[in-house]
Amino acid sequence: MTSPMHHEHSDQRDPPEEPTDRLGALVRRILAHSVTAEERLERFFAERRRELDEHTARLEETLADLERREGLLRDARASVERLLRVGTSDLDARESDLAQLVRELEEREARLREEEGELARRRSQLGAVELKRAAIDQRERAIEAQEAQVSAREAQLEERESAVGSDAEEGAHTPSPLLLFVPGQAYRLVEIERAPLQRGDAVELDGIEYIVARTGPSPLPGDVRRCAYLG
């Protein structure tokens, strides 16, 4: 048995949907789907924005790293330029030192050439002195030989004078042929008749007075007469 309340509830069921209600539900569903697409688009844009932000951050980091590297490069370039300046200055100083050393070497070479020339000149002078000394020694030896020959000849003359001394004493006052060795533009022998002459005696010949320098045997070969050498 159905209670009145049940009948009352049954009588209150939803009325059948109208076409306008269906259209509204469809619009609501479409709108619901549209809201979901916007959300997805927003999420997409948000994701893209996040990626762009990340790219931007990475770019900023890259730019900062590039700026840091550029600063390091500037510092390195400045260091290289300083090194180049220092190296150039040091090179200039070394070139100056080298030029000074070259000048000193050239001066030393010039002095060495002068000293070598002076040494050669002194050697030449010494050679000339040695040659002159050798010539003097040779002349002295020749003079000594001539003196020895003269001494030997004087000894022979003295022996001959002593051999004929007794005959001279015996005929000291007896005139005998005598040779005179007369000097002049050309030496000449003159024969006179008178007593033998002694060294220091005066003899007049052709109006000219001579002094007997010495006496000795005749210079003529095989002649036994005495000869007075006048001076």
Side-chain angles (χ1 to χ4, degrees), residues 174-202:
T174 304
S176 62
L178 180 66
L179 287 178
L180 298 177
F181 192 86
V182 184
Q185 293 182 352
Y187 286 100
R188 58 194 177 97
L189 292 174
V190 178
E191 183 179 2
I192 62 173
E193 291 287 341
R194 62 165 295 169
L197 297 173
Q198 300 295 326
R199 179 183 300 177
D201 293 344

Side-chain angles (χ1 to χ4, degrees), residues 25-170:
L26 180 59
V27 170
R28 284 193 299 270
R29 285 197 298 270
I30 292 172
L31 291 175
H33 288 300
S34 298
V35 172
T36 302
E38 289 177 357
E39 291 177 354
R40 289 178 180 176
L41 187 60
E42 289 178 358
R43 285 196 299 269
F44 175 76
F45 284 144
E47 184 67 23
R48 292 300 180 188
R49 190 178 296 108
R50 185 181 59 80
E51 292 177 357
L52 288 174
D53 293 338
E54 291 177 357
H55 283 296
T56 302
R58 285 195 295 271
L59 285 175
E60 290 176 354
E61 291 178 359
T62 303
L63 288 174
D65 185 63
L66 287 175
E67 290 178 355
R68 183 180 59 81
R69 292 185 179 183
E70 186 176 359
L72 293 175
L73 182 60
R74 284 195 301 270
D75 294 339
R77 184 177 297 172
S79 299
V80 170
E81 289 178 353
R82 284 195 301 273
L83 290 174
L84 287 175
R85 286 193 297 271
V86 172
T88 303
S89 176
D90 185 58
L91 182 60
D92 292 339
R94 293 192 178 186
E95 286 180 354
S96 178
D97 294 339
L98 182 60
Q100 181 66 25
L101 181 60
V102 170
R103 287 193 296 271
E104 291 178 356
L105 288 176
E106 290 177 351
E107 292 175 357
R108 289 182 181 179
E109 289 178 356
R111 288 196 299 269
L112 182 60
R113 285 193 295 270
E114 291 177 357
E115 291 175 357
E116 288 178 350
E118 181 67 18
L119 181 60
R121 186 179 63 81
R122 290 186 179 181
R123 285 179 178 175
S124 177
Q125 292 177 351
L126 181 61
V129 170
E130 292 294 334
L131 290 175
K132 184 179 287 187
R133 181 178 297 174
I136 292 173
D137 292 341
Q138 185 176 2
R139 182 176 294 178
E140 288 179 352
R141 287 193 295 270
I143 291 173
E144 290 175 356
Q146 290 179 358
E147 289 177 352
Q149 292 178 359
V150 170
S151 298
R153 190 165 183 178
E154 287 180 351
Q156 292 177 357
L157 291 175
E158 289 177 358
E159 289 177 357
R160 291 179 66 179
E161 285 180 356
S162 62
V164 297
S166 57
D167 296 337
E169 289 178 357
E170 291 177 357

